[in-house]
Amino acid sequence: MKKYFKIALLVLIGGLFIWTFVFLYNKSKPKSKVFETVKPVIAGLEKSTVATGKVEPRDEILIKPQISGIVDEVYKEAGQMVKKGEVIAKVKVIPELGQLNSAESRVRLAEINYKQATVDFERIKKLYEGNLISREEFEKGEVSFKQSNEEYENAKDALDIVKEGITQKTASYSNTLIRSTIDGLILDVPVKAGNSVIMSNTFNDGTTIATVANMSDLIFKGKIDETEVGRLHEGMPVKITIGALQDYNFEAILEYISPKGVEENGANQFEIKAAITVPDSVMIRSGYSANAEIVLARSGQVLTVPESTLEFSNDSAFIWVMTDSIPQQKFEKRHVEAGMSDGIKIEIKKGLTAEERVRGMEKKDKK
């Protein structure tokens, strides 16, 4: 009995050993890989680049005062439309004491001279009417009287300008009334009533009363990397997308490429500008962030495959073409001539036909 038991035990151990050996052998055998296959597609390709930037009016006009003083009243605010010549604000002149004293002194002297000239002219007039002096002497006295009168009026006007910045004769041309120089939209009014303002001169730019822009003439202003700027030229079509207006795409024409690059984050960037066509029904605000897509190259209907299916070695491109699928997949490595790429698909010029299939990604076992 013990003999049969030992034999059975040895057979069991032997079977377990053989099963373990077979299991480990099968486990160690390399599994055959299964790949997805891709059929080439006839399609058109576009190679494009994207520049980031913002939308701005072509010209923003800074309205500045022609005199220094205090803002008396502000008639407009940001967001309002304004016509050329329309008053935006009024500036009250604060006279400089030296100029005020000089102007008042000039008025007093001119008044004295005018009164004396009036008395002298009345005397000459009576003498002329009595035929006691010649007409020539009378005309000289009349000219002298008119000159003293004109000087008196000018002195009073000069005093008004120093005190108020305006005269009665030139009220319609007053430089105390700050007017828009163009038709457009007021983008900003950085001053309030009571603020001091100074006129623009050699030593400073002056105080900005308002910023006005023509919002019907907009441009995209952005930057592009030096690796792609060489492919651009003025007149290229540009598609503008604005983050705040995601439902719209705007057509534009590239009109400016900077001749000088600026280094940013270790890369040379070149400024570009494109004129945007905006429908009347769309309101675009100055400073909107935007992207400009520029088509660098375009091909017709060509043979394409996913770029991920190609392998590159030095200047050569290779692709794995399926030669058999039964009982298992077989592929051969083939040299091909690649063409233009849009970053997803790439053109195959030579080495592949539309009927063949190429190796794609490896299929993963689902557990």
Side-chain angles (χ1 to χ4, degrees):
M1 187 69 181
K2 290 183 178 179
K3 181 179 180 181
Y4 292 117
F5 178 75
K6 289 181 179 179
I7 293 173
L9 182 60
L10 291 173
V11 171
L12 180 62
I13 293 173
L16 182 62
F17 177 78
I18 293 172
W19 179 85
T20 302
F21 177 78
V22 172
F23 175 78
L24 293 176
Y25 174 76
N26 290 330
K27 192 75 173 177
S28 63
K29 287 175 60 178
K31 292 183 179 180
S32 59
K33 296 181 179 180
V34 179
F35 294 89
E36 296 177 353
T37 58
V38 180
K39 188 176 181 180
V41 176
I42 303 295
L45 294 178
E46 285 187 353
K47 182 176 178 61
S48 60
T49 185
V50 176
T52 59
K54 57 184 179 179
V55 175
E56 299 178 350
R58 183 181 299 276
D59 296 306
E60 291 188 8
I61 306 301
L62 303 180
I63 309 298
K64 298 179 181 291
Q66 298 177 354
I67 58 172
S68 299
I70 301 294
V71 177
D72 190 31
E73 292 184 73
V74 178
Y75 302 109
K76 300 290 183 179
E77 60 183 23
Q80 290 183 313
M81 298 297 297
V82 67
K83 295 290 186 180
K84 181 178 179 180
E86 194 170 349
V87 178
I88 297 175
K90 180 181 179 182
V91 174
K92 181 180 179 180
V93 176
I94 304 299
E96 195 272 324
L97 292 180
Q99 293 180 347
L100 179 61
N101 183 61
S102 176
E104 289 176 341
S105 176
R106 179 184 172 189
V107 170
R108 288 192 294 269
L109 290 175
E111 184 179 12
I112 294 171
N113 292 334
Y114 173 66
K115 288 180 178 180
Q116 183 60 46
T118 301
V119 172
D120 292 343
F121 180 67
E122 288 296 330
R123 183 182 303 114
I124 292 173
K125 185 178 180 181
K126 289 180 179 180
L127 292 174
Y128 175 70
E129 290 173 350
N131 295 321
L132 298 177
I133 59 174
S134 67
R135 181 173 181 80
E136 182 181 358
E137 289 179 299
F138 171 75
E139 290 175 349
K140 288 182 179 180
E142 185 178 25
V143 169
S144 179
F145 168 71
K146 290 180 178 180
Q147 287 177 342
S148 62
N149 180 43
E150 184 67 22
E151 174 60 26
Y152 180 47
E153 293 297 327
N154 288 339
K156 290 194 294 183
D157 287 344
L159 178 60
D160 288 340
I161 290 175
V162 171
K163 293 174 65 176
E164 304 293 339
I166 183 176
T167 67
Q168 293 182 354
K169 295 179 182 178
T170 60
S172 59
Y173 303 101
S174 169
N175 54 9
T176 62
L177 298 177
I178 312 303
R179 303 173 185 271
S180 176
T181 56
I182 62 169
D183 294 346
L185 179 71
I186 299 178
L187 301 181
D188 187 26
V189 181
V191 298
K192 297 180 180 179
N195 287 159
S196 297
V197 296
I198 56 175
M199 63 183 294
S200 177
N201 54 42
T202 307
F203 304 103
N204 60 70
D205 293 333
T207 305
T208 298
I209 298 294
T211 303
V212 182
N214 179 7
M215 296 302 291
S216 62
D217 187 9
L218 299 175
I219 61 170
F220 167 84
K221 184 184 293 186
K223 292 183 179 179
I224 193 167
D225 191 82
E226 65 177 339
T227 57
E228 296 175 326
V229 72
R231 303 181 184 182
L232 303 184
H233 60 82
E234 286 82 358
M236 295 180 72
V238 181
K239 183 172 71 175
I240 305 295
T241 55
I242 299 176
L245 302 173
Q246 298 182 1
D247 296 334
Y248 296 93
N249 289 324
F250 303 94
E251 300 299 325
I253 299 296
L254 187 64
E255 63 178 24
Y256 172 79
I257 304 170
S258 174
K260 181 180 179 181
V262 178
E263 186 173 344
E264 291 185 3
N265 300 322
N268 283 337
Q269 301 287 320
F270 289 80
E271 184 181 58
I272 61 172
K273 296 178 183 178
I276 306 175
T277 302
V278 182
D280 294 336
S281 59
V282 180
M283 172 65 178
I284 296 182
R285 302 180 186 277
S286 177
Y288 270 162
S289 298
N291 292 329
E293 183 180 353
I294 308 171
V295 177
L296 302 176
R298 181 183 284 113
S299 72
Q301 297 296 305
V302 295
L303 187 68
T304 66
V305 296
E307 189 168 350
S308 59
T309 61
L310 263 67
E311 295 180 3
F312 296 92
S313 176
N314 297 325
D315 294 332
S316 300
F318 300 91
I319 198 167
W320 291 88
V321 182
M322 187 169 70
T323 58
D324 198 356
S325 61
I326 300 175
Q328 63 181 15
Q329 293 177 329
K330 292 182 181 179
F331 299 92
E332 69 172 9
K333 189 176 184 180
R334 186 184 300 176
H335 176 267
V336 293
E337 181 180 347
M340 191 179 76
S341 169
D342 64 1
I344 300 176
K345 301 186 296 294
I346 189 169
E347 175 188 2
I348 302 298
K349 294 182 176 180
K350 292 182 181 179
L352 187 68
T353 66
E355 290 73 25
E356 294 179 299
R357 301 189 73 89
V358 300
R359 189 176 77 181
M361 300 293 292
E362 180 182 356
K363 290 184 178 180
K364 301 297 182 180
D365 293 333
K366 295 182 179 180
K367 296 184 179 180

